[in-house]
Amino acid sequence: MIYFDNSATTEPNEEVLATFVEVSKRYYGNASSAHQLGLNAEQLLRKSYQHISRLLSVKPTEIIYTSGGTEGNNLAIKGIALAYQSRGKHLITTSIEHPSVLNPFKALEELGFEVTYLPVDQSGIVSVDDLKQALRDDTILVSVMHVNNELGTIQPIRAIGEVLKNRKYTFFHVDNVQGFGKVELDLKASYVDLATISGHKIHGLKGTGLLYQREGVRLFPLLHGGGQQDNRHSGTEDIAGIVSLARAMRLILEKQTNQVIQLRQLNQLLRERLNEIEDVVINTPEDQAPHIINFSIPGFKPEIILHALEERGIYVSTQSACSSKKADESSVLRAIHLPPNQRNSALRISFSYQNTPDQVDKFVQSLKAIITELKQDMR
């Protein structure tokens, strides 16, 4: 099997799974309980806060554990909007965000908030000048993803942070679900106030994730209950999930330090091999995130290619996994003004550190054979 759909989800790491099982068995106490089992769980929870805070170079109190990217993005966006609505009701994001960002903004519009959706250029990158022009006195939130999930383009997070750093009541949220562990992002140096990370995108487990919340930033909680996590996220903490997330984060950051060059080499190899096929048009610009390449085969339905590859044991995707069953046309590719025949024929390859050059060769050979067969069938 060749798995090239790592932006949808990744295979859980064996060490992460072992950690989850071990903690589930030994630390099943409720961290809020006063007896020893509860105290043991609480102690392990505190260690996880400390461990992850060191990995992110932030304070333990700046971490909120969530169930993943969707919850983290919803908590950041709705939490800021509801907490600071007395300061203003204007929000800014881009037109190519993940649905877990775009849909909370649309929900807030129904509550009376006004949202500016910034366009992107033909590379899928937002203009900092456009952002400056969109800012208003009543703008309370700017949310821009770090790495686009379909194209792999990298947004100018640090430059945006520089623009926003002196605006006391305009908060900066970054959806870092696709970027973490693949493309470096210094949260403090980029003046990021909130950042979302998901466990299952980094060989952790589904249902795990976190939101970085800079000290001094308030959030209106999505969940009210027992007041866990300093009243920011009520609900009994999933100790095993949290500890496994810490393990997954440490392992992926080690990979980023030691193997990101290999990932870039894999990206370059795939580009070179795809360029050998005259029917293929690569949509992802050069020098973007190392793990995502989007390309089109105009004249061919991507679902047919996808399933033909699957019959050969190769797994890819047509667009974002959260949108792949809804529409034939990618809204991200429409936003960068690709012609219809490219928008309707796109495939996405997303690597992990486990993929190899040999897998790229086998994939390209299979793709060439499938295109040849389909052309013969069309005659």
Side-chain angles (χ1 to χ4, degrees):
M1 182 185 78
I2 297 175
Y3 186 70
F4 282 165
D5 195 17
N6 291 283
S7 286
T9 194
T10 50
E11 180 182 7
N13 184 288
E14 289 292 339
E15 289 185 47
V16 172
L17 285 170
T19 297
F20 182 84
V21 172
E22 179 69 13
V23 174
S24 296
K25 288 180 178 177
R26 294 182 56 195
Y27 295 90
Y28 56 85
N30 188 322
S32 299
S33 295
H35 52 65
Q36 192 59 50
L37 286 178
L39 295 176
N40 292 344
E42 183 191 24
Q43 186 177 35
L44 190 58
L45 179 63
R46 290 183 182 278
K47 286 182 179 178
S48 296
Y49 274 115
Q50 293 167 358
H51 183 62
I52 291 178
S53 69
R54 286 194 295 270
L55 293 175
L56 296 178
S57 298
V58 302
K59 296 178 181 178
T61 52
E62 294 179 315
I63 295 167
I64 306 173
Y65 292 115
T66 68
S67 63
T70 295
E71 184 178 357
N73 286 337
N74 271 265
L75 178 55
I77 295 164
K78 295 175 182 173
I80 286 291
L82 297 177
Y84 291 94
Q85 56 185 319
S86 63
R87 297 279 179 179
K89 287 197 166 186
H90 181 233
L91 316 167
I92 297 175
T93 189
T94 81
S95 58
I96 63 166
E97 300 294 315
H98 187 272
S100 63
V101 168
L102 290 175
N103 287 334
F105 277 113
K106 292 184 187 306
L108 288 168
E109 285 181 295
E110 295 179 10
L111 297 178
F113 288 86
E114 184 180 351
V115 182
T116 297
Y117 297 92
L118 294 174
V120 293
D121 64 17
Q122 291 187 331
S123 297
I125 297 174
V126 69
S127 161
V128 177
D129 286 337
D130 284 352
L131 171 68
K132 289 179 183 175
Q133 292 176 15
L135 287 168
R136 308 186 329 203
D137 290 342
D138 63 341
T139 305
I140 57 171
L141 175 66
V142 173
S143 180
V144 177
M145 68 196 332
H146 184 204
V147 173
N148 182 263
N149 52 305
E150 292 191 40
L151 278 174
T153 46
I154 303 170
Q155 300 298 340
I157 298 301
R158 189 152 186 165
I160 294 172
E162 288 285 346
V163 170
L164 301 176
K165 67 180 181 182
N166 294 320
R167 294 177 62 98
K168 186 175 180 181
Y169 291 109
T170 303
F171 300 99
F172 185 23
H173 168 244
V174 175
D175 175 358
N176 196 26
V177 167
Q178 292 293 339
F180 186 76
K182 311 286 176 44
V183 182
E184 188 173 355
L185 175 63
D186 187 327
L187 297 172
K188 296 294 185 182
S190 300
Y191 302 100
V192 173
D193 296 306
L194 303 135
T196 306
I197 294 171
S198 175
H200 77 99
K201 307 289 189 180
I202 55 171
H203 304 283
L205 301 176
K206 296 177 182 66
T208 65
L210 66 81
L211 177 67
Y212 159 70
Q213 176 195 16
R214 180 179 61 77
E215 188 175 50
V217 176
R218 287 188 295 115
L219 289 176
F220 188 88
L222 297 185
L223 303 174
H224 295 86
Q228 288 88 346
Q229 302 202 62
D230 295 327
N231 288 312
R232 298 173 300 175
H233 188 286
S234 287
T236 303
E237 295 92 344
D238 174 9
I239 304 297
I242 289 169
V243 177
S244 73
L245 174 66
R247 175 63 62 89
M249 291 175 66
R250 179 177 66 78
L251 292 172
I252 200 73
L253 289 176
E254 288 175 359
K255 296 283 187 184
Q256 183 178 348
T257 300
N258 301 318
Q259 291 182 236
V260 75
I261 292 176
Q262 295 174 33
L263 206 57
R264 291 195 177 282
Q265 291 172 339
L266 212 59
N267 183 303
Q268 188 57 39
L269 175 62
L270 177 58
R271 283 180 174 276
E272 292 171 359
R273 298 300 310 277
L274 287 175
N275 281 328
E276 296 172 359
I277 308 175
E278 62 178 356
D279 302 276
V280 168
V281 181
I282 298 177
N283 301 321
T284 299
E286 298 258 10
D287 300 323
Q288 297 302 313
H291 58 299
I292 299 175
I293 290 185
N294 187 296
F295 64 94
S296 297
I297 313 175
F300 296 93
K301 289 188 176 180
E303 294 80 6
I304 293 175
I305 304 279
L306 181 148
H307 291 303
L309 286 166
E310 183 180 3
E311 290 174 359
R312 290 166 167 80
I314 301 171
Y315 297 85
V316 303
S317 60
T318 54
Q319 51 180 305
S320 165
C322 293
S323 304
S324 62
K325 296 180 180 177
K326 297 177 182 175
D328 292 333
E329 183 177 289
S330 161
S331 60
V332 173
L333 301 186
R334 186 170 59 246
I336 63 172
H337 305 297
L338 289 184
N341 63 348
Q342 277 180 249
R343 299 199 302 258
N344 295 330
S345 61
L347 292 163
R348 179 185 67 178
I349 301 297
S350 49
F351 295 128
S352 75
Y353 292 103
Q354 298 169 337
N355 293 128
T356 66
D358 184 57
Q359 291 179 334
V360 170
D361 281 333
K362 289 178 179 175
F363 162 72
V364 174
Q365 290 169 14
S366 296
L367 185 62
K368 287 179 177 177
I370 290 166
I371 292 174
T372 300
E373 291 171 10
L374 291 175
K375 282 183 173 179
Q376 290 173 346
D377 292 343
M378 293 165 66
R379 287 176 183 169

